[in-house]
Amino acid sequence: MKKVLFATTALIATASMAAADVRISGYGRFGLDYNERNDNTVVGETNITSRLRLQFDMSAETDGGVAFGARFRAQAESRDGTPNGATFNGARFFASAGGFTLQVGNITGAIEAMPGTYLETRTAGIGIDGADFTSHVANVGDSFTNAVSGSDYFGWDAYSSGGTGRNGVEVIYSQGAFGAHLSYSKDNDVAVGPPVVEGVQRTAVHLSYEFGDWTAAIGYQDENQDGGDNDILIASISGDLGFAGVRLAYASVDNVTSRNAAGTGTVNNDIDKFGLYGTFDIGAATSLVAFVTNEDNPGGASDGTAYGIHVSHDLGGGVSLEAGAVEASDDNTTVQAGVYFSF
């Protein structure tokens, strides 16, 4: 009887696996990172930077054609001389039909997913690990981290690869050239009282439209906590000029606290940032990406111009050499080089 039960259970499990789709993919990267801001610290200016990521995607489809699925990741990395062992992140679940996708859990976020905001590189930034993503037009203030920094970098919902994420809900729609994305998340309330402090709430939306070789997009996020707010307005247009790809982007972020120019305290401003980006093929296997941004942050350390350059050389088989350098608007210099491979 036990043998019959075991055989029956195995048959059912095999049939379930055949009806579903489970895929594993990922990438590895490693190289050297020179970061000027680590001068005179225990970290040191030059360190090894590395990451190994495994991504698990699972999906199934009903008889009526509705697709259900989930994604989660396992990731180990080292940054600024600090290695972190492999950890699993929070899962994201989805249901999709007729151009609509509903996602819950560790959501992507409407601002994060908006076209025309990240660089056209394998790391979506400069170098082998993004180099603080100074190039992103909504990353304002400065990336420096200390007791008086208060940086507003990545002040929007995004899929977390190393944590549980925001645990929100989002609806994504795509039909022909038009795309729309609406997301919402709320942190748990914080008990400090009475009274109880309300958790941070974020509501974001972006709209995009493709026309020929060009894509235009606009997005907005409202963030509030107990009456305070931190709004983001962002727009981009990108296209192909034949000899190069080009992109323009703009962001306005309210109530940003960042280091002052002297580095002794903070300033609080509504900040505007503009960016110009270009991509160029300089050979059959080599490409170049460059950017320049200008940030209006009066009295802040990040007030001014940033620029960067990135070179990628394809070795074939999913392997490439990646190198780049950034001079941030707060005068911090970062240089990185390494190897990136996907599987």
Side-chain angles (χ1 to χ4, degrees):
M1 183 64 180
K2 289 183 179 179
K3 291 182 180 180
V4 173
L5 286 174
F6 179 79
T8 303
T9 303
L11 182 61
I12 293 172
T14 303
S16 298
M17 290 178 63
D21 179 23
V22 179
R23 290 168 289 122
I24 301 175
S25 60
Y27 69 79
R29 68 187 192 203
F30 59 92
L32 291 177
D33 169 34
Y34 168 84
N35 195 327
E36 186 181 22
R37 78 178 179 200
N38 291 330
D39 186 26
N40 297 321
T41 70
V42 294
V43 173
E45 291 180 319
T46 304
N47 291 278
I48 294 173
T49 179
S50 64
R51 172 184 288 174
L52 177 63
R53 172 183 293 174
L54 287 177
Q55 181 160 287
F56 301 84
D57 289 286
M58 295 135 283
S59 63
E61 188 171 311
T62 69
D63 292 342
V66 180
F68 289 84
R71 165 179 290 183
F72 74 99
R73 290 172 177 169
Q75 180 169 287
E77 67 177 3
S78 177
R79 286 177 182 262
D80 290 329
T82 303
N84 294 304
T87 58
F88 287 98
N89 71 339
R92 183 177 70 212
F93 303 88
F94 76 86
S96 181
F100 285 93
T101 298
L102 171 70
Q103 297 192 144
V104 298
N106 188 0
I107 61 173
T108 306
I111 298 299
E112 173 75 1
M114 181 177 145
T117 56
Y118 282 99
L119 293 186
E120 298 79 1
T121 65
R122 298 191 78 174
T123 62
I126 294 291
I128 195 64
D129 70 12
D132 292 326
F133 296 91
T134 302
S135 54
H136 196 292
V137 76
N139 273 338
V140 297
D142 56 82
S143 63
F144 197 93
T145 303
N146 65 13
V148 296
S149 170
S151 171
D152 271 44
Y153 267 43
F154 294 103
W156 58 88
D157 286 350
Y159 181 76
S160 173
S161 295
T164 57
R166 292 279 298 177
N167 197 35
V169 58
E170 58 192 349
V171 178
I172 305 166
Y173 176 73
S174 178
Q175 183 64 47
F178 176 74
H181 191 146
L182 175 66
S183 62
Y184 172 80
S185 70
K186 182 182 183 298
D187 286 341
N188 290 333
D189 293 342
V190 181
V192 295
V196 172
V197 177
E198 185 181 20
V200 175
Q201 298 183 64
R202 290 175 177 162
T203 303
V205 62
H206 88 241
L207 304 174
S208 64
Y209 187 76
E210 298 179 6
F211 50 102
D213 294 329
W214 294 81
T215 300
I218 186 167
Y220 177 78
Q221 176 182 278
D222 175 72
E223 177 185 295
N224 64 78
Q225 182 179 23
D226 283 343
D229 66 83
N230 181 225
D231 299 338
I232 299 174
L233 174 65
I234 183 170
S236 70
I237 184 167
S238 56
D240 188 357
L241 298 177
F243 64 92
V246 65
R247 175 162 54 89
L248 292 170
Y250 163 78
S252 176
V253 186
D254 295 345
N255 299 325
V256 179
T257 301
S258 60
R259 285 187 306 145
N260 63 19
T264 57
T266 61
V267 294
N268 187 275
N269 288 317
D270 296 343
I271 299 179
D272 295 325
K273 184 175 176 180
F274 294 87
L276 173 63
Y277 309 82
T279 61
F280 310 87
D281 291 330
I282 54 177
T286 306
S287 62
L288 182 148
V289 175
F291 81 90
V292 58
T293 60
N294 186 265
E295 185 171 319
D296 183 18
N297 182 18
S302 62
D303 184 44
T305 302
Y307 52 89
I309 190 169
H310 179 100
V311 177
S312 175
H313 181 72
D314 187 1
L315 298 176
V319 183
S320 63
L321 300 177
E322 309 288 330
V326 177
E327 178 74 9
S329 58
D330 61 0
D331 296 327
N332 185 65
T333 301
T334 306
V335 182
Q336 297 183 344
V339 177
Y340 190 113
F341 61 96
S342 57
F343 49 87

